Amino acid sequence: MSIITDAQSSPESSARQADARDGVDMERLAAGHDAVLNDLMERHATPVFHFLCRMVGNEDDANDLAQETFVRVFRARASFRPGGKFSTWLFTIAANLARNHFRWRSRHPNVSLETETGKAEQTLGSTLPALDPAPNEQALAAERTATVRAAVAKLPEDLREAIVLCEWEELSVADAAAILETTPKAVESRLYRARQLLREKLKSWL
């Protein structure tokens, strides 16, 4: 295989191509091609939904917030900076909506961390895919996942955001800082404090 082919198929090259495609679509959206929003949603709706699930701990709320995220994208289409990274801008909108949701929920505390996902007796803590382990291992994995999710959900808002973005979404510290509108140093500090708290809360599982 040639060096050119390798370069073209590298993750970095694919990411640049995806960013360029997003940029073109946002230019078209701003120019009045409203149907382009469907293409953006097709590429980004699932990652945004998963991110919001981890942030708010409830699939119904995450679905509503994901839809609202793209409503905000459409409304603010003219403010997107050409040459900017669309995914960062998109996740910034989603993160702000999640913050607003938590503030609203703190004033209306009626949502359980173990809200069912719609499937019989299945909660958010048991939705990670498994490779057909034994039943006892499945139960243990589900319990561990639920415990981790609950521990993350109880972190202070700024620490939870950093953990979700950098650990679960696997974003770089720089990208997380852009989404959270802070500095990379601040994100690193939040990650350190979050990991310390999680180690303490989850020490029986470590």
Side-chain angles (χ1 to χ4, degrees):
M1 185 177 292
S2 69
I3 295 177
I4 294 177
T5 302
D6 288 341
Q8 289 175 338
S9 61
S10 69
E12 293 81 4
S13 176
S14 297
R16 286 195 297 271
Q17 291 173 6
D19 290 341
R21 185 179 180 186
D22 289 337
V24 170
D25 281 351
M26 282 304 297
E27 288 179 5
R28 295 182 63 205
L29 188 64
H33 298 278
D34 295 353
V36 174
L37 183 64
N38 294 329
D39 297 331
L40 290 165
M41 290 179 66
E42 184 176 346
R43 294 198 297 275
H44 295 282
T46 297
V48 167
F49 172 71
H50 288 164
F51 165 69
L52 288 166
C53 274
R54 289 160 175 160
M55 287 295 293
V56 304
N58 179 287
E59 287 194 355
D60 289 336
D61 290 341
N63 185 59
D64 291 343
L65 291 173
Q67 292 183 47
E68 179 62 21
T69 296
F70 286 98
V71 169
R72 299 288 180 93
V73 166
F74 182 77
R75 289 175 180 169
R77 60 194 182 280
S79 67
F80 178 73
R81 180 172 54 84
K85 190 172 182 180
F86 173 74
S87 59
T88 300
W89 187 66
L90 177 67
F91 272 76
T92 301
I93 293 172
N96 286 334
L97 286 172
R99 288 192 196 110
N100 292 339
H101 174 79
F102 266 105
R103 288 169 189 143
W104 179 89
R105 199 165 73 180
S106 68
R107 297 190 296 270
H108 306 80
N110 59 354
V111 179
S112 169
L113 291 173
E114 290 297 325
T115 299
E116 293 188 1
T117 63
K119 298 178 182 179
E121 298 183 359
Q122 186 181 43
T123 64
L124 292 174
S126 61
T127 56
L128 294 183
L131 298 177
D132 298 321
N136 63 321
E137 293 177 349
Q138 281 187 319
L140 186 63
E143 184 182 354
R144 181 171 59 245
T145 299
T147 302
V148 171
R149 288 184 184 276
V152 171
K154 291 177 182 177
L155 289 172
E157 182 179 285
D158 58 339
L159 307 189
R160 182 179 61 251
E161 291 172 339
I163 280 289
V164 169
L165 288 169
C166 294
E167 296 290 349
W168 274 336
E169 300 302 325
E170 298 182 346
L171 296 182
S172 68
V173 168
D175 283 345
I179 290 169
L180 300 176
E181 301 175 329
T182 187
T183 65
K185 284 281 189 182
V187 172
E188 289 175 354
S189 175
R190 294 175 191 181
L191 285 172
Y192 175 79
R193 287 184 286 142
R195 287 166 180 154
Q196 292 294 102
L197 288 173
L198 289 174
R199 285 192 187 101
E200 179 62 26
K201 292 181 179 180
L202 301 172
K203 59 186 176 182
S204 63
W205 289 97
L206 299 176

